[in-house]
Amino acid sequence: MPKLAVSFLFVLCLLSPAVCRAKNNKLCVINYDWFTQKGFTYHGVTVEKIGEKPPKPGEQQNSFFKPGSIVVKVSGGSSPGTMTVDRGTWASALSGCALLNVPKGIKALFGIPDAVVATGSAVLAPIDFRFADVNDDGITDGVTLPANTGGVSVELGLGDGGFGPRVDYPTGSFPAKLDLADLNGDGSLDILVLNTGDRNQDNSSVSVLLGSGDGTFAAPTQHAVGGQARGLFVGDFNQDERMDFAVGRSNSNGGAGTLEVLYGDGAGGFAAPDVYPAGTNPWSIVCADFNGDERPDLAVANRDSGTVSLFLGNAGGAFDPARDIDVGGAPDYLGAVHLDADGRADLMVLHSVSATLSAWRGQADGSLAHVGRYLTGTGAGSFQILEYKDDPTAILAPDSTGLRFHYFPVDRETADLTGPPAYLVGEEARALTLDDFNGDGLLDAAVASAGGAVRTLLGLGDGGFEDPVLAPVDDALTRGFGTAITSGIFGADDLPDLAVAHPSRNQITILGGRGDGTFVVQETLAGLDNPSLVAVADLNGDDRDDLVVAQGPNQGSASVVVYLLGADGAFAPPALYPHAVGAASGDLAVGDLNGDGRDDVAVGTFEFSGDNGGLSVMAANADGTLGAATRLLPGAQVRAVGIGDFNGDGRADLIWSGTPAGGGFRTVAGALLGDGQGGFTEAALVDVDGTASSVAVADFDQDGLTDAVLAHCCGGTDLTELWGAGDGTFRANDAPGGQDPVALAAADLDQDGLPDLAVVDNANGRTEGVFSSLLTPQPLLLNFSAATNRARLIAPSSIVAAFGQDLAVSTATASDADWPEELVGTRVSIRDVNGAIHAGRVYFASPNQVNYFVPPGVAPGLALVTITAGDGTVRQGIIRVDAVSPGVFTAGPDVAAAFVLRILPDGSRQTESTVFAGSNGSLFARGIDLGGDDEDVLLLLFGTGIRGLSSLGQVSVNIGGVEAEVLYAGPQGEFLGLDQVNVRIPKTLRGRGLVNIVVTVDDSVSNVFQVRIQ
């Protein structure tokens, strides 16, 4: 049945979305959405869009702008009133305003004073590219620092969304950041490049390239700044209308860094630097008025000392000594924005190592007040500040892939950011548990970290928590990594307690709760063998909390140790149950798996070099002992295990994630469907990105079907949302969840009746770990490739399956092979990165699912998808468009829905399907007979997102580890959006049985699927 999908992403579609051209998945510009922004203010002149004029007779839309003109109202300056401008001029004006460098032709047109420093409220530290009009033709150009070129590159815009040939200019050793400004007062933009210099050499420099106004630049002038510089900012610091620049530098021998300010002479030259002490490894600089005295101040992020140095500008045009603010978590990128209307700039700090964003409010006394810390995604390198006239300011933070976002709008009432709150919980954070530790009826959290530390966070009832508090326990008893933690009542006082696993000390520590959120060491359970997992269960049905520990193998085999809790509140002697020879415990889940009212035990196991992994299920007997282990998934490497009803039959099922037997580096997730008596049947698997470390189970989207979320430690994917289809299968969507999430828990954290997600990230041990709560948002729109069931890149001319709520007033399928633009009143529109609106063609429409065709003209980059139902209901979601995104259709569990074309020696041809239907209607892989050497056997694959390939030579098909010859790749020709790949099956595969297949197009990899070869 159709599946309603809701993502945890706080995506850009909640407001008028801003779209940007970005490289390296970093910030491009501020306020870059040319077609939704209503105007700007620059040096006291307000320019506001008030309408549009229809196109002139015969005027045609080009590839970038639609026909017609923009009507604007100008207030202030020398040209007040209304005027009409073409769309290219309007785009250039907004782009220039975003970069705080309005082209001189635009200034003259609107009567803006020809000054070189803007007073925009949003300011961002430079990174490795900028977009602006460098040749004064009203068209945006690109200035970048390509890798391994040792210089800066300029690409002039063509006016159609494309760019001309790249021109390279050498600068210095390892250019890292750049900025644009008019340094010599000639009205044309110049380039500054920060060269970080060679490793362990104090040879950083800033290269200045003066622009000629025609898009070319003079040879660079070098300004040696020494040290190992990382931060750069250009601005008029002493308010003499001449541009200056500041550099943050550290020394090769370590120690505190410095801020160096070089004042400009207005002709492109700079004086010797003023030097100010700063923190360790100053990484990023931003300039704004943080204390409201109308003088520029400088904020410097000191990455290694965890501080921001704030230098307040003084009346003499210089800066006061630094005020150091402890912001924690390795700050490395800064932005200034007005969260409120107090006239003072506020500071945004990105901590990429811990994947958090912190906000700090500027104070009149020159200090910074903490607003909050928020979760981003893995590898976020920068962020974008979105400002609109009628909408609240917002922050958009993409992760390292550029495909996943957290979106933080400013709450108009509180002037705080809205988004997933984050809390630093110590190095090597490992595990969490949720319970009401202080008896106020609200859920609290406890996190176990390195050194045996336990931190508690008391819940506020709205999804937020008080700051973490270190539990006052005896370090001598608890030192060693705390890899697992659970809560339960382990004494006779009915107060929640904690059990913490310490593998390095081979013990479990019981922390007795006092009922006020604090704890005391109650007892230790020693003599264990590398206890790594712990859970609470009622194994004998006496309504008391027994303790289940998964351990090994330090000396021998993986095993489970059970501590039954007696009526006196004391644990009985431990009972040992071996269950897997030579394997390590990967995850532990407890629940009633056979319907007898007692909790049973499921343990996932893995082996780094061997095939002893799998999943062990042990049923509890009436006396609390465990029966012999039933081994499931033999040979699989199981890292995450959960329990839930995934097919709606009222019986407990298992969900697991890891590497299937013989799967190599493939990672999957799937359900094991229970029969209610302890037996299980494997359901279809779904591919996931990276090894899972934890799983949480709940009906997150409230559609009546059980879902799950996986945490992936130490890879490019943070979380995988597995949206249940109600039959034991899932659709997978990657989502941001911080840096290296290791533990998850599902619960209602904000008392709205919906399940939320608590996450612990350990930041790969490089900085403090993070605890965060992801609150379930209102249903949005999730777009999948129809072939892969994954929300990844979407290609033009491909088929998409969209899932949401109230997408159509009824259910219908297109009867026309061309597919209409409207079906039962449902319409799909796609606004691409260039602002062009495209109508999708609808094949299927239902209240919870719409399948549509993406038109071929959608430009690569971020795009906004809007689905409007017949009753006017609107749902929106973000997709990322790329030229290719190969997906191959499957039937049944990962079996290719393909045909075999057999060319016999006499030239005759036979076709057969790769699947057949069983007696119950299930589809299975049909064996492919490769015949004799004189027979040519081809495999005809069908998919979508393939036809945009650069050439046939860039298409490869790997069948069972063997590269096969590709004969054709492109449109299938009969069905809209359907692509086809024809490949010759190598005879060397004869007798291989079930083999995996992967299609690669222009370095983009398809889903993994299978065929059976006899």
Side-chain angles (χ1 to χ4, degrees):
M1 63 182 288
K3 167 72 177 61
L4 168 64
V6 175
S7 172
F8 288 112
L9 307 186
F10 291 80
V11 292
L12 182 56
C13 60
L14 300 182
L15 294 178
S16 302
V19 192
C20 68
R21 288 172 205 245
K23 297 185 179 180
N24 302 329
N25 302 312
K26 295 182 179 179
L27 168 80
C28 52
V29 296
I30 313 164
N31 301 336
Y32 201 75
D33 188 349
W34 301 341
F35 297 93
T36 60
Q37 187 181 336
K38 295 181 173 65
F40 62 93
T41 298
Y42 189 94
H43 275 280
V45 179
T46 297
V47 184
E48 182 179 4
K49 175 183 173 182
I50 60 175
E52 300 188 24
K53 284 190 175 182
K56 300 175 182 177
E59 183 180 358
Q60 301 294 320
Q61 176 173 338
N62 62 26
S63 59
F64 196 39
F65 300 113
K66 67 181 182 180
S69 304
I70 303 296
V71 181
V72 299
K73 177 182 179 182
V74 181
S75 304
S78 60
S79 303
T82 60
M83 64 178 67
T84 300
V85 298
D86 61 75
R87 294 181 181 272
T89 298
W90 182 239
S92 183
L94 295 181
S95 172
C97 175
L99 288 165
L100 310 183
N101 289 293
V102 174
K104 58 184 178 183
I106 301 298
K107 292 178 185 176
L109 176 66
F110 294 134
I112 296 172
D114 190 18
V116 294
V117 184
T119 57
S121 61
V123 183
L124 288 156
I127 47 176
D128 56 1
F129 63 95
R130 287 294 202 192
F131 288 91
D133 180 10
V134 300
N135 60 349
D136 296 321
D137 63 354
I139 299 171
T140 301
D141 312 305
V143 183
T144 62
L145 298 177
N148 303 318
T149 62
V152 62
S153 299
V154 177
E155 298 171 89
L156 300 180
L158 301 178
D160 60 359
F163 294 87
R166 193 179 88 183
V167 179
D168 296 331
Y169 297 88
T171 58
S173 298
F174 298 100
K177 296 176 181 176
L178 69 87
D179 213 343
L180 304 174
D182 181 4
L183 302 177
N184 57 1
D186 65 354
S188 299
L189 291 178
D190 309 309
I191 301 174
L192 293 93
V193 176
L194 174 66
N195 308 297
T196 60
D198 302 298
R199 183 181 295 272
N200 297 324
Q201 299 291 321
D202 291 335
N203 62 343
S204 295
S205 64
V206 172
S207 300
V208 173
L209 297 84
L210 298 179
S212 62
D214 61 1
T216 63
F217 292 84
T221 300
Q222 304 292 355
H223 297 270
V225 294
Q228 295 178 333
R230 292 293 185 271
L232 171 71
F233 198 90
V234 182
D236 182 10
F237 304 142
N238 56 2
Q239 299 177 303
D240 64 355
E241 297 191 2
R242 298 171 181 173
M243 298 302 285
D244 316 308
F245 72 86
V247 173
R249 52 160 285 185
S250 57
N251 302 307
S252 58
N253 59 358
T258 57
L259 171 73
E260 305 201 359
V261 180
L262 291 82
Y263 293 98
D265 60 10
F270 295 88
D274 288 352
V275 180
Y276 301 86
T280 307
N281 200 4
W283 198 264
S284 181
I285 304 173
V286 72
C287 178
D289 179 10
F290 293 105
N291 61 351
D293 65 358
E294 299 184 358
R295 299 189 187 107
D297 308 315
L298 289 173
V300 179
N302 305 305
R303 196 176 197 189
D304 291 351
S305 54
T307 61
V308 165
S309 294
L310 185 59
F311 298 87
L312 300 179
N314 57 42
F319 294 93
D320 293 338
R323 301 185 180 197
D324 290 332
I325 297 96
D326 184 2
V327 298
D332 55 6
Y333 187 71
L334 300 179
V337 63
H338 287 269
L339 299 176
D340 50 27
D342 64 2
R344 296 184 293 269
D346 307 309
L347 186 68
M348 304 302 306
V349 183
L350 180 69
H351 313 259
S352 63
V353 176
S354 61
T356 60
L357 182 75
S358 62
W360 304 81
R361 206 180 308 279
Q363 304 295 300
D365 62 359
S367 63
L368 296 175
H370 189 218
V371 176
R373 187 179 299 271
Y374 310 89
L375 194 69
T376 66
T378 295
S382 61
F383 52 86
Q384 184 175 359
I385 299 175
L386 310 174
E387 291 190 310
Y388 297 93
K389 181 178 174 125
D390 297 325
D391 293 324
T393 298
I395 311 296
L396 178 69
D399 71 356
S400 59
T401 69
L403 301 176
R404 301 180 288 270
F405 304 85
H406 271 316
Y407 175 73
F408 308 96
V410 176
D411 186 294
R412 281 178 163 158
E413 293 185 2
T414 65
D416 297 337
L417 290 188
T418 302
Y423 308 86
L424 300 180
V425 289
E427 295 182 5
E428 291 282 0
R430 294 284 179 167
L432 84 148
T433 187
L434 301 175
D435 209 329
D436 180 9
F437 298 126
N438 61 352
D440 63 357
L442 305 175
L443 282 178
D444 311 310
V447 178
S449 302
V454 174
R455 288 173 173 81
T456 56
L457 301 93
L458 299 181
L460 300 175
D462 59 358
F465 292 81
E466 293 183 9
D467 289 336
V469 175
L470 191 64
V473 297
D474 186 349
D475 184 64
L477 292 174
T478 62
R479 63 175 178 264
F481 286 106
T483 62
I485 189 170
T486 190
S487 60
I489 297 175
F490 304 132
D493 57 6
D494 291 329
L495 297 177
D497 308 310
L498 294 172
V500 187
H502 297 99
S504 62
R505 296 186 60 81
N506 290 323
Q507 71 180 37
I508 301 292
T509 304
I510 304 298
L511 303 180
R514 295 187 173 109
D516 59 357
T518 65
F519 298 85
V520 63
V521 175
Q522 182 168 299
E523 65 177 306
T524 59
L525 307 176
L528 296 167
D529 179 20
N530 191 33
S532 55
L533 301 164
V534 61
V536 165
D538 182 7
L539 300 177
N540 54 6
D542 62 359
D543 292 326
R544 287 189 283 269
D545 289 338
D546 308 314
L547 201 60
V548 180
V549 181
Q551 64 173 7
N554 269 348
Q555 305 296 327
S557 303
S559 59
V560 166
V561 178
V562 170
Y563 295 87
L564 295 178
L565 188 67
D568 59 355
F571 287 116
L576 177 69
Y577 301 92
H579 66 85
V581 176
S585 300
D587 200 8
L588 171 67
V590 295
D592 184 3
L593 299 176
N594 56 10
D596 63 0
R598 297 186 296 272
D599 287 334
D600 307 306
V601 178
V603 185
T605 56
F606 67 93
E607 192 171 41
F608 288 110
S609 57
D611 57 1
N612 287 325
L615 200 159
S616 300
V617 174
M618 291 173 279
N621 300 313
D623 60 357
T625 60
L626 297 181
T630 299
R631 296 284 291 159
L632 306 174
L633 306 173
Q637 308 301 304
V638 180
R639 298 300 192 109
V641 180
I643 297 175
D645 180 8
F646 299 106
N647 60 354
D649 63 357
R651 300 164 180 162
D653 309 314
L654 293 167
I655 186 171
W656 70 281
S657 182
T659 302
F665 293 102
R666 183 188 183 197
T667 52
V668 300
L672 294 167
L673 302 179
D675 61 6
Q677 300 179 355
F680 296 89
T681 302
E682 294 184 41
L685 301 175
V686 60
D687 287 291
V688 298
D689 292 332
T691 301
S693 54
S694 181
V695 60
V697 175
D699 180 10
F700 290 107
D701 54 9
Q702 297 295 285
D703 64 349
L705 308 176
T706 305
D707 314 305
V709 177
L710 299 175
H712 301 280
C713 176
C714 318
T717 297
D718 305 345
L719 304 177
T720 298
E721 301 165 342
L722 298 173
W723 302 109
D727 59 359
T729 63
F730 302 92
R731 297 181 182 276
N733 175 57
D734 298 339
Q739 185 76 38
D740 304 319
V742 292
L744 302 175
D748 182 7
L749 302 175
D750 58 356
Q751 304 185 95
D752 65 353
L754 301 177
D756 308 306
L757 195 68
V759 182
V760 165
D761 304 288
N762 79 347
N764 206 15
R766 292 176 293 172
T767 185
E768 287 194 85
V770 174
F771 169 82
S772 181
S773 56
L774 302 178
L775 304 181
T776 304
Q778 294 300 311
L780 301 177
L781 182 71
L782 197 58
N783 295 268
F784 296 92
S785 164
T788 65
N789 280 345
R790 298 299 303 272
R792 289 175 141 184
L793 296 174
I794 300 296
S797 300
S798 68
I799 308 170
V800 173
F803 298 87
Q805 187 176 11
D806 301 322
L807 304 180
V809 296
S810 60
T811 300
T813 302
S815 57
D816 191 320
D818 196 29
W819 300 3
E821 292 184 358
E822 183 175 317
L823 186 65
V824 292
T826 292
R827 306 183 307 277
V828 178
S829 70
I830 305 167
R831 188 181 69 187
D832 67 20
V833 69
N834 293 332
I837 306 295
H838 308 264
R841 295 189 173 274
V842 184
Y843 168 69
F844 172 79
S846 72
N848 299 122
Q849 179 176 343
V850 171
N851 289 9
Y852 65 90
F853 171 74
V854 180
V858 178
L862 291 175
L864 173 70
V865 177
T866 302
I867 295 183
T868 306
D871 62 359
T873 301
V874 175
R875 294 285 182 260
Q876 293 183 313
I878 291 287
I879 62 174
R880 181 129 190 154
V881 180
D882 203 357
V884 295
S885 182
V888 176
F889 287 101
T890 59
D894 297 326
V895 178
F899 283 102
V900 173
L901 175 62
R902 192 180 306 278
I903 305 177
L904 302 177
D906 62 2
S908 61
R909 302 188 174 200
Q910 299 176 353
T911 59
E912 58 195 54
S913 174
T914 57
V915 298
F916 70 94
S919 58
N920 62 353
S922 299
L923 297 175
F924 301 94
R926 183 192 302 274
I928 301 173
D929 183 359
L930 296 186
D933 292 340
D934 55 353
E935 291 184 25
D936 203 8
V937 182
L938 308 183
L939 183 63
L940 312 184
L941 303 170
F942 301 97
T944 194
I946 297 170
R947 67 184 64 186
L949 72 165
S950 59
S951 68
L952 186 62
Q954 295 301 309
V955 180
S956 65
V957 178
N958 186 289
I959 306 177
V962 179
E963 291 295 326
E965 181 185 1
V966 180
L967 305 176
Y968 172 79
Q972 185 266 350
E974 183 178 357
F975 297 99
L976 194 65
L978 187 64
D979 296 328
Q980 182 171 332
V981 177
N982 297 346
V983 60
R984 180 174 283 113
I985 305 178
K987 298 290 186 179
T988 56
L989 293 172
R990 186 181 283 114
R992 284 284 299 276
L994 206 60
V995 294
N996 290 338
I997 305 179
V998 174
V999 177
T1000 303
V1001 182
D1002 290 345
D1003 296 326
S1004 184
V1005 181
S1006 75
N1007 50 313
V1008 178
F1009 54 96
Q1010 299 174 322
V1011 296
R1012 186 179 299 278
I1013 300 179
Q1014 296 179 344

